[in-house]
């Protein structure tokens, strides 16, 4: 996330999977304020998280999704 800016992390599960959970990670030493709680977004298989960086330097912010493979018929 650039310094003094909002940012978002969006992770999409592959088409043959179902989103079952997720989260986010942030680099150490940053001044990130996470808001808009991370969570699934509609039915499009995306996990989204939002943060604002209140420092003057860029900091890492990364989304993570847990995707479950569907059985093959």
């Amino acid at each position: 996330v650039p310094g003094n800016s909002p940012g978002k992390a969006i992770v999409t599960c592959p088409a043959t999977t179902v989103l079952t959970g997720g989260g986010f990670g942030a680099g150490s030493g940053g001044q990130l304020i996470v808001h808009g709680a991370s969570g699934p977004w509609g039915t499009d298989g995306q996990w989204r998280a939002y943060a604002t960086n209140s420092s003057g330097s860029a900091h890492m912010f990364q989304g993570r999704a847990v995707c479950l493979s569907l059985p093959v018929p």
Side-chain angles (χ1 to χ4, degrees):
V1 177
N4 299 310
S5 299
K8 62 185 173 184
I10 301 174
V11 184
T12 303
C13 287
T16 59
T17 64
V18 175
L19 175 68
T20 60
F24 62 89
S28 63
Q31 296 176 357
L32 290 175
I33 301 166
V34 177
H35 55 86
S38 69
W41 188 263
T43 58
D44 60 3
Q46 291 185 338
W47 189 272
R48 297 183 183 194
Y50 299 87
T52 299
N53 181 356
S54 62
S55 75
S57 301
H59 291 283
M60 188 276 300
F61 180 65
Q62 186 175 50
R64 297 187 178 112
V66 177
C67 308
L68 177 67
S69 293
L70 300 174
V72 177

